[in-house]
Amino acid sequence: MELAINSLLELKYIKRTKVVAFADDLIITTRGESLRAVENYVNVELSKINVWAKNNKTRFNDKKSKVMIVSRRKRKENKNITVYLNNKPLDQVTKMKYLGIILDHKFRFNERIKYTAERCGKLIHSLSRAAKITWGIKHAAMYIIYKGAILPLLTYGAPVWIEAMNHEYNRRKYI
């Protein structure tokens, strides 16, 4: 499948479009002057991808595929677009999980923070029940668990979300 996906990535897309694949996950980003322009660009690109899929005897799952408008603008306009895959309209969402990272429509990563905090909280709670002062897991073992389970959870995908966190921190510092 890897060689086949390479030919998909090498299709002639408009310069506003970027297509990225990792394993069996594919993400398509397109920029436009307006939502209608983006809607048109994405539908044109997806029709190319549909043709590619037919030629390569594969099919993309329209039930798992989603559309998300990413914008930090505060316009009050209707932000709904209709994008088709396999001649079916895709669901439009305000957040989605891609490669284990929860992306939101403003790239603020608040959902990722909540998810990570819940998961780490559960792990820490479990550790605290297993580790007591006079009995239970020793500090060295807890440190190994921290390094192997909690720290990777906290830092997963950091190159993607760290700039948003720095931006949010600096924004809140002056409020």
Side-chain angles (χ1 to χ4, degrees):
M1 181 75 171
E2 183 179 322
L3 293 174
I5 289 290
N6 284 344
S7 66
L8 171 67
L9 298 175
E10 293 168 358
L11 288 177
K12 188 136 177 102
Y13 298 106
I14 58 175
K15 65 181 178 180
R16 305 173 170 275
T17 298
K18 181 140 178 94
V19 179
V20 178
F22 185 83
D24 64 345
D25 285 322
L26 185 72
I27 193 163
I28 303 163
T29 60
T30 301
R31 297 175 63 128
E33 308 80 35
S34 68
L35 285 175
R36 292 307 135 227
V38 169
E39 179 179 64
N40 290 333
Y41 296 147
V42 171
N43 281 310
V44 166
E45 302 299 28
L46 283 177
S47 68
K48 291 176 194 174
I49 290 170
N50 270 332
V51 169
W52 177 91
K54 285 179 187 171
N55 292 339
N56 287 277
K57 295 175 181 54
T58 190
R59 185 174 168 91
F60 292 99
N61 189 336
D62 48 80
K63 289 177 180 53
K64 287 185 176 180
S65 300
K66 307 289 182 221
V67 174
M68 184 171 73
I69 301 292
V70 177
S71 175
R72 290 193 175 154
R73 291 186 178 172
K74 295 181 180 176
R75 285 191 249 165
K76 296 292 182 194
E77 67 183 332
N78 180 359
K79 292 190 173 123
N80 293 327
I81 64 173
T82 306
V83 174
Y84 296 91
L85 180 64
N86 303 329
N87 296 319
K88 294 178 185 157
L90 298 178
D91 292 336
Q92 187 169 343
V93 296
T94 57
K95 64 182 176 184
M96 68 172 60
K97 200 171 198 179
Y98 181 69
L99 300 178
I101 298 175
I102 301 169
L103 304 171
D104 64 84
H105 69 288
K106 297 209 181 267
F107 270 34
R108 292 213 172 114
F109 298 93
N110 294 337
E111 291 295 322
R112 174 172 171 51
I113 293 166
K114 273 198 296 193
Y115 171 79
T116 303
E118 286 174 16
R119 294 275 315 271
C120 286
K122 288 176 184 176
L123 284 170
I124 290 168
H125 179 70
S126 296
L127 276 177
S128 69
R129 285 187 303 159
K132 301 296 178 191
I133 293 175
T134 57
W135 59 273
I137 298 176
K138 302 294 180 221
H139 289 285
M142 284 180 39
Y143 182 69
I144 290 170
I145 294 169
Y146 166 77
K147 278 182 58 177
I150 296 171
L151 193 58
L153 194 60
L154 289 171
T155 58
Y156 180 76
V160 173
W161 52 259
I162 196 68
E163 278 305 312
M165 297 300 294
N166 289 337
H167 175 75
E168 187 69 16
Y169 171 76
N170 288 329
R171 187 180 73 80
R172 288 176 186 236
K173 194 163 69 172
Y174 298 108
I175 292 179

